[in-house]
Amino acid sequence: MTKKSTPAPAPRPVRAAFAALGGCLVIAACGGGNGNGNGIVFPVLPPAPAPAPAPAPMPSPLGTLDGSVPLVIGHRGLPGLYPEETKASYEAAADAGADSLETDLHLTKDCVLVARHNPWLSDNTNVADVAKTNATVAGRKRTVPPVLVDVKYPPIAANGPAKYNSDLTDPADPKSVLKSLVVDGEDHTNDWSITDFTMDELRQWIRGTTYDAKDQRPTDLNGKLPILSFQEVIDIAKAKSASTGRALTVYPETKNPIWNNAQAIANGCGPVGSHPLEDALLKIMNFNDLNRKDAPIFVQSFEPESLKYLRSAGLKARAVQLVDGNDVNYQTGEMIYVTNDVYTFVDGRPYSWTLAGNPKFFGEMLTPAGLAEVKTYADGIGPWKPQVMLHTIVPFVTPNKGLADVNTIKPTALIADAHKAGLFVHSYTFRNEAKYLAGVYKGDPTPEYLAYFRAGIDGVFSDFANTAFAARQAYLKETGR
């Protein structure tokens, strides 16, 4: 058998050159000689490019309603370090990174919106000390006791006490409300009312002090810093927005609006049946161009009727329905609203519901149907922390120390339900002191913030804006930001 003739293979170097240059024999005309006379040159190939760096991982989505960074709300400024609702407190909150300056609003005797937490003055001002040397102030202490009024709903234990305190000591005289000091059923006889002083008098005589955890917070500035009008709080927010380059919002609360309106009407701030507190708020919002949907303001209230009136009167800015509660069943984590004392009327249900004979409690607002109702007049809710996170002791032991023994925290359905209804959630109140922290956090406030941020909270009311800001930075870093 004859073998098929095949050509001899080319030398391996030449074959390699062919492969490298697509078969081109490298001679002088195809790249020149190499000086050794053989007419062949091998190309110098560049090194292979380094692999492209892997793209940076995308940040984890945030669980807030619109995917934005959760807000740090300076609750009464920075009262953990300064007397609450004073200029120093608000400026420090802004400098510490707060996005919003929160304040409570009352009406003075001359119908000016004033920033103060409670309308009775002895617990957050130096009024008692001033009264020792100022006869005018001393003489304005309210000493007439309240009268007890029957509730209009069924007076059964499940609805709370059968009677509540009223400051309308003479039903035939609407101005009799200026003699007692009873706020939403809570008796403060032998104290001073903010509605008995003009704004100028408050500035002249009264100074702010610490309130919560007053035995643990700095007191060196107590009695030294003037009380502010709401306009002054707005001015601070504007100035700090300009100096920091951040658009700070203000976060006013119509505080005790039924009581405030009765006081204001008796003081001549409006006719019978009017709403002087809300009307004053709308007026100052319009004056400062804050009555827009995107204006740097949130209007809050525990009283749904106050927010509903504001909407009907032309409020266009964002509104927040605050939601209260009295206590927690640490075995189940369920909220307790009814108590056998005055706090059923103060924290268990909106005061307008008591007056209207509605026996339901704040928890009604947190059901899907309740949230849908809130959405008709508000843009968000402001619940108490245990309404957002289930606080339980597992295994449950008796007796227990309450919050200090809470060892299990997990989200309730509230954030998800509120977001489904189109409502944001701003929860209150975050504080550094161990007595305000569940035992599971071991006295460290940062893990508490992180738990709420991870659950998708849209904002936190904090007495320590500096701590809240640092915790948020840690959370954002955790999410890849």
Side-chain angles (χ1 to χ4, degrees):
M1 182 173 178
T2 306
K3 292 182 178 181
K4 185 176 178 180
S5 176
T6 56
R12 288 188 180 274
V14 176
R15 292 176 66 191
F18 271 43
L21 298 178
C24 175
L25 180 61
V26 183
I27 55 176
C30 192
N34 61 2
N36 58 13
N38 61 14
I40 298 175
V41 64
F42 298 104
V44 178
L45 301 178
M58 291 293 291
S60 303
L62 302 180
T64 51
L65 177 63
D66 59 1
S68 60
V69 173
L71 297 178
V72 170
I73 304 160
H75 182 243
R76 308 178 209 158
L78 208 166
L81 301 177
Y82 299 89
E84 63 179 31
E85 298 189 286
T86 60
K87 183 178 181 182
S89 184
Y90 286 121
E91 290 182 339
D95 292 340
D99 304 294
S100 191
L101 304 182
E102 191 267 355
T103 188
D104 309 285
L105 297 183
H106 300 279
L107 275 179
T108 64
K109 186 175 182 178
D110 58 339
C111 319
V112 176
L113 288 172
V114 60
R116 194 95 312 245
H117 176 230
N118 286 327
W120 53 92
L121 293 174
S122 65
D123 63 3
N124 58 12
T125 76
N126 65 342
V127 67
D129 290 334
V130 173
K132 294 174 183 177
T133 58
N134 186 318
T136 302
V137 172
R140 293 187 187 178
K141 179 186 286 188
R142 294 197 181 182
T143 58
V144 176
V147 295
L148 281 173
V149 178
D150 292 332
V151 298
K152 296 178 181 179
Y153 42 75
I156 59 176
N159 291 336
K163 296 177 181 291
Y164 63 94
N165 291 311
S166 172
D167 58 358
L168 189 61
T169 54
D170 180 0
D173 180 13
K175 290 193 175 185
S176 66
V177 298
L178 298 176
K179 298 177 181 179
S180 296
L181 187 45
V182 181
V183 183
D184 295 359
E186 188 175 2
D187 182 16
H188 287 275
T189 301
N190 294 317
D191 208 327
W192 290 264
S193 175
I194 200 166
T195 57
D196 287 340
F197 297 85
T198 66
M199 192 68 230
D200 284 344
E201 288 173 336
L202 289 169
R203 287 194 182 104
Q204 179 183 353
W205 293 328
I206 311 300
R207 300 289 182 266
T209 63
T210 57
Y211 177 52
D212 297 293
K214 61 178 64 178
D215 59 332
Q216 299 180 54
R217 295 181 178 180
T219 59
D220 55 305
L221 291 176
N222 279 358
K224 298 179 180 178
L225 302 175
I227 289 176
L228 302 177
S229 68
F230 181 42
Q231 182 62 57
E232 289 172 298
V233 178
I234 293 172
D235 292 342
I236 291 170
K238 288 180 178 178
K240 283 297 181 181
S241 294
S243 65
T244 64
R246 297 183 294 112
L248 274 72
T249 60
V250 288
Y251 211 126
E253 177 185 350
T254 58
K255 199 71 183 286
N256 312 113
I258 293 170
W259 177 85
N260 259 295
N261 284 327
Q263 296 281 303
I265 291 168
N267 275 326
C269 298
V272 174
S274 64
H275 296 76
L277 178 69
E278 291 87 353
D279 291 342
L281 176 56
L282 280 173
K283 182 178 179 179
I284 201 168
M285 288 175 63
N286 288 325
F287 177 78
N288 289 278
D289 190 29
L290 292 174
N291 195 15
R292 297 175 282 105
K293 184 67 176 178
D294 60 347
I297 189 172
F298 296 87
V299 177
Q300 57 174 330
S301 187
F302 283 103
E303 182 50 70
E305 296 309 313
S306 183
L307 296 178
K308 289 178 181 179
Y309 171 77
L310 282 163
R311 284 292 188 219
S312 71
L315 177 70
K316 300 180 179 65
R318 292 165 290 186
V320 182
Q321 174 64 62
L322 301 175
V323 187
D324 213 342
N326 266 309
D327 207 343
V328 180
N329 179 338
Y330 291 119
Q331 184 171 10
T332 64
E334 294 175 327
M335 188 63 46
I336 297 171
Y337 295 100
V338 64
T339 60
N340 61 2
D341 58 22
V342 66
Y343 291 102
T344 288
F345 308 111
V346 176
D347 300 319
R349 63 170 66 91
Y351 193 56
S352 65
W353 291 8
T354 291
L355 298 181
N358 180 354
K360 294 180 180 179
F361 299 104
F362 270 112
E364 187 76 16
M365 295 180 177
L366 302 182
T367 65
L371 292 168
E373 162 66 14
V374 169
K375 181 61 178 174
T376 65
Y377 62 88
D379 303 277
I381 57 171
W384 188 24
K385 290 186 298 184
Q387 292 166 325
V388 178
M389 285 281 188
L390 209 64
H391 287 55
T392 53
I393 300 170
V394 181
F396 188 72
V397 294
T398 55
N400 62 73
K401 293 179 287 186
L403 186 61
D405 281 339
V406 168
N407 57 12
T408 305
I409 302 288
K410 64 178 181 180
T412 66
L414 182 56
I415 291 178
D417 288 347
H419 286 178
K420 186 176 180 180
L423 296 164
F424 56 75
V425 183
H426 296 166
S427 191
Y428 66 90
T429 300
F430 291 76
R431 298 180 169 112
N432 284 14
E433 291 86 5
K435 69 178 181 178
Y436 297 122
L437 294 168
V440 69
Y441 301 125
K442 302 185 186 305
D444 183 356
T446 298
E448 182 182 42
Y449 287 106
L450 292 175
Y452 283 79
F453 289 146
R454 290 165 182 160
I457 201 77
D458 299 279
V460 293
F461 291 87
S462 175
D463 279 8
F464 293 84
N466 52 330
T467 305
F469 180 82
R472 185 178 66 181
Q473 291 298 95
Y475 167 67
L476 295 177
K477 182 177 181 180
E478 179 183 289
T479 63
R481 288 168 174 78

